[in-house]
Amino acid sequence: MSELVNAESTPTQAKAASKPRRTATVRSSRLPFIWASLAPILLYFFIFSLLPILAAFYISLQTWPLMGGATKFVGFKHYVGILQDPRFYASLWNTAYFAIAYMGAVIVLGLGMALLVGSLGTRLRMLVRPIYFAPQVTSVVAVALMFTWLYEPRTGVLNYLLSFVGIGPFLWLRSQEMVMPALIATAVWRSVGYSMVIFTAGLLSIPRELYDAVAVDGAGRWTTFHHLTLPLLQPTLLFMFVTATIGGFQVFVEPWLMSGGGPGTASRVLMLDIYDEGFRFFEMGSASALAVCLFLVIAVIAYIQMRYLRESFEF
């Protein structure tokens, strides 16, 4: 009897054992096609992402005059000078302040706008979405110049409107206390439409049946938002946390055009320091060292966000 069972089971076992081999053979035969399809993406990443980073690090180890002249290897001299310069820490603090406030405002307002637009009728929704998204496709220089005019102490529209309620006038871009909030408001106005679109996509990915189920159970709006919408939006929230933080640390146009880093150093950010070192003082070595420092700061913060937010979001 046992011989019969063994005889019957042997072909089955042999067939089952051959399946992994076939699967491995099929996978190995598909590898050339997979690598061929990935080759353009990998080539683009190498040329436009990895290679510039390596080149910046190489230049940061030398004195590299932009307007000509001999280069000289100096090792980590630029990095030592940066870490001993108090202006670097002042710019880093301003950049972190801008990035944190910008990230929080973009996420809160973008999510709020997405919920508001989602509650509108179909026709009104189709009208409102392009209006909210329009600043995102507008030139950042045009937006900065427009807000510079709005913030003018005497002729600006903002102070003119505030005068009707007996407030102001304020020196928006000439006050050390108000210049950063003014710049943050400008950047948020320009970028919140993008945040709204991302959150709208996240909301549309939530099955409608779940909302119907909690409505049958008698859940209110806040309960539905807190216990259903937010948990299912966690991947979208993680994406917005990381991208908004990176965008905030890379701010340049608003401080450059609207305040010039002033008054004093109140709106001085790291990108302005990089620009000045490279294109005002023509020293690409120290500018590249500052760029590498900014890259490392962003990489560390993005890693912390990805790791700890993933654990807190539980996905």
Side-chain angles (χ1 to χ4, degrees), residues 99-100 102-103 107 239-250 298 301-302 305:
I100 293 171
Y102 169 82
M103 175 197 65
I107 290 176
F239 173 80
M240 284 306 305
F241 267 111
V242 175
T243 56
T245 303
I246 294 173
F249 270 94
Q250 292 177 334
I298 293 175
I301 293 176
Q305 286 181 321

Side-chain angles (χ1 to χ4, degrees), residues 55-288:
F57 179 71
Y58 172 73
I59 294 173
S60 70
L61 301 178
Q62 307 183 52
T63 56
W64 194 292
L66 182 63
M67 302 303 292
T71 62
K72 180 182 178 182
F73 181 80
V74 293
F76 292 93
K77 178 181 177 181
H78 293 309
Y79 294 97
V80 174
I82 289 171
L83 296 177
Q84 292 177 348
D85 189 354
R87 294 175 299 177
F88 168 75
Y89 297 101
S91 298
L92 180 60
W93 168 256
N94 290 335
T95 307
Y97 169 39
F98 184 99
I100 293 171
Y102 169 82
M103 175 197 65
V106 163
I107 290 176
V108 172
L109 293 177
L111 179 56
M113 289 167 57
L115 293 170
L116 176 63
V117 171
S119 65
L120 301 176
T122 304
R123 292 184 178 180
L124 188 58
R125 189 186 312 158
M126 297 298 293
L127 176 65
V128 170
R129 277 181 185 172
I131 296 175
Y132 282 159
F133 191 72
Q136 179 65 33
V137 297
T138 305
S139 169
V140 61
V141 176
V143 172
L145 294 176
M146 179 185 70
F147 271 85
T148 302
W149 173 66
L150 291 176
Y151 289 141
E152 274 295 315
R154 295 182 179 179
T155 61
V157 174
L158 187 56
N159 277 336
Y160 175 74
L161 295 175
L162 291 175
S163 65
F164 287 102
V165 293
I167 302 177
F170 296 106
L171 302 175
W172 296 99
L173 300 178
R174 303 175 190 175
S175 168
Q176 293 190 354
E177 292 76 20
M178 303 196 70
V179 62
M180 286 300 286
L183 297 179
I184 292 167
T186 304
V188 169
W189 183 86
R190 178 176 58 86
S191 305
V192 72
Y194 171 79
S195 177
M196 179 204 68
V197 170
I198 298 299
F199 280 118
T200 299
L203 290 171
L204 291 176
S205 67
I206 301 176
R208 192 65 199 176
E209 294 80 6
L210 298 178
Y211 288 105
D212 296 335
V214 296
V216 170
D217 292 337
R221 290 185 177 181
W222 170 249
T223 303
T224 302
F225 174 76
H226 184 260
H227 294 284
L228 176 62
T229 305
L230 272 184
L232 295 179
L233 274 181
Q234 287 174 356
T236 308
L237 284 169
L238 176 61
F239 173 80
M240 284 306 305
F241 267 111
V242 175
T243 56
T245 303
I246 294 173
F249 270 94
Q250 292 177 334
V251 62
F252 171 70
V253 174
E254 288 85 357
W256 180 54
L257 281 179
M258 298 176 66
S259 65
T265 59
S267 61
R268 191 81 185 173
V269 294
L270 288 176
M271 287 296 294
L272 274 179
D273 291 341
I274 296 171
Y275 173 82
D276 285 347
E277 287 292 328
F279 299 102
R280 286 186 62 190
F281 307 129
F282 306 115
E283 179 46 61
M284 295 304 296
S286 56
S288 298

